[in-house]
């Protein structure tokens, strides 16, 4: 059983479309992070959200942390083929980190 | 800075063999982590360390051991390798704290036959 549930598991869209992926948990986290991983490489941090209700923007990516600090969403506007990858959310506990299974995004040109 | 480095990149083991996966970081981070990632899945925490001489179990520690004698190095030991340990292993480091942003190495792809 995953502590962090990500949905959808797979997403295939056309270039230019918008999308939202979700990260949900029954646990409260001190912070939540989103990473992107490309094949054959380690995950790379995109953003960290700490405050309930917080919204952060990174170019075409918008991240939101739920008010109760249990869930988060990632919205991508006008997706591009370069956005293709595995998007992972991770929750910070006392000293450790727990990752979701990820959403595998494919953006077709 | 090299960041987080891992060796080897690839390894094939026979059932019952042992090996050590090496991980080093040059960012003076106190926190270090070992994860495994099975095909199409997220990362499972094996062990972590909050400083030299301190280690703790994560979600899936069975079949593995770690040590942390220096701030820079965090090796992962596999004893009596089993096919279930076939995976990609990632080491990461962080400063800890509320943000705890993790920096990952390139991974070691291990196959146990």
């Amino acid at each position: 059983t995953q502590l962090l549930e990500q949905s959808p598991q797979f997403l295939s869209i056309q270039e230019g479309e918008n999308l939202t992926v979700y990260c949900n948990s029954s646990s409260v986290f001190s912070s939540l992070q989103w990473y992107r991983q490309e094949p054959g490489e380690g995950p790379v941090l995109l953003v960290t959200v700490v405050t309930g209700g917080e919204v952060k923007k990174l170019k075409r990516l918008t991240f939101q942390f739920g008010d109760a600090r249990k869930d988060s969403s990632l919205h991508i506007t006008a997706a591009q083929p370069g956005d293709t990858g595995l998007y992972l959310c991770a929750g910070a506990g006392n000293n450790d980190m727990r990752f979701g299974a990820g959403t595998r995004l494919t953006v077709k040109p | 800075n090299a960041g987080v480095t891992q060796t080897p990149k690839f390894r094939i083991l026979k059932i019952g063999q042992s090996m050590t996966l090496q991980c080093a970081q040059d960012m003076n981070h106190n926190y270090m982590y070992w994860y495994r990632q099975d095909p199409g899945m997220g990362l499972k925490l094996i062990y972590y360390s909050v400083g030299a001489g301190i280690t703790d179990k994560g979600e899936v520690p069975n079949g593995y051991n770690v040590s942390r004698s220096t701030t820079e190095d965090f090796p992962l030991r596999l004893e009596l390798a089993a096919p279930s340990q076939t995976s990609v292993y990632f080491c990461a480091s962080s400063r800890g704290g509320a943000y705890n942003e993790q920096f990952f190495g390139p991974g070691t792809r291990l196959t146990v036959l």
Side-chain angles (χ1 to χ4, degrees), chain B:
Chain B
N1 287 350
V4 179
T5 57
Q6 291 183 239
T7 56
K9 284 189 173 7
F10 303 93
R11 184 72 185 269
I12 298 174
L13 284 181
K14 294 182 179 178
I15 294 172
Q17 286 185 321
S18 300
M19 77 164 293
T20 299
L21 281 67
Q22 301 293 344
C23 174
Q25 54 94 7
D26 62 359
M27 296 174 282
N28 202 31
H29 286 167
N30 283 326
Y31 289 56
M32 295 187 75
Y33 306 81
W34 273 106
Y35 296 91
R36 59 175 287 173
Q37 186 174 34
D38 297 328
M41 300 294 289
L43 291 91
K44 296 282 190 184
L45 182 64
I46 304 172
Y47 271 96
Y48 66 100
S49 169
V50 300
I54 306 170
T55 61
D56 277 297
K57 294 179 180 179
E59 302 170 77
V60 290
N62 291 346
Y64 307 94
N65 277 301
V66 293
S67 59
R68 184 95 182 271
S69 56
T70 67
T71 299
E72 294 78 18
D73 300 297
F74 191 39
L76 177 72
R77 178 86 177 157
L78 277 72
E79 305 281 1
L80 298 174
S84 61
Q85 293 178 305
T86 293
S87 191
V88 181
Y89 291 84
F90 288 101
C91 178
S93 72
S94 76
R95 279 188 286 269
Y99 283 79
N100 205 13
E101 299 170 18
Q102 309 221 331
F103 295 84
F104 284 84
T108 294
R109 185 175 296 274
L110 175 68
T111 302
V112 182
L113 301 173

Side-chain angles (χ1 to χ4, degrees), chain A residues 31 33 35 37 95 97-98, chain B residues 31 37 59 98-100 102:
Chain A
S31 68
Q33 299 169 358
Y35 292 80
Q37 184 180 22
N95 289 310
M97 294 290 289
R98 299 301 169 102
Chain B
Y31 289 56
Q37 186 174 34
E59 302 170 77
Y99 283 79
N100 205 13
Q102 309 221 331

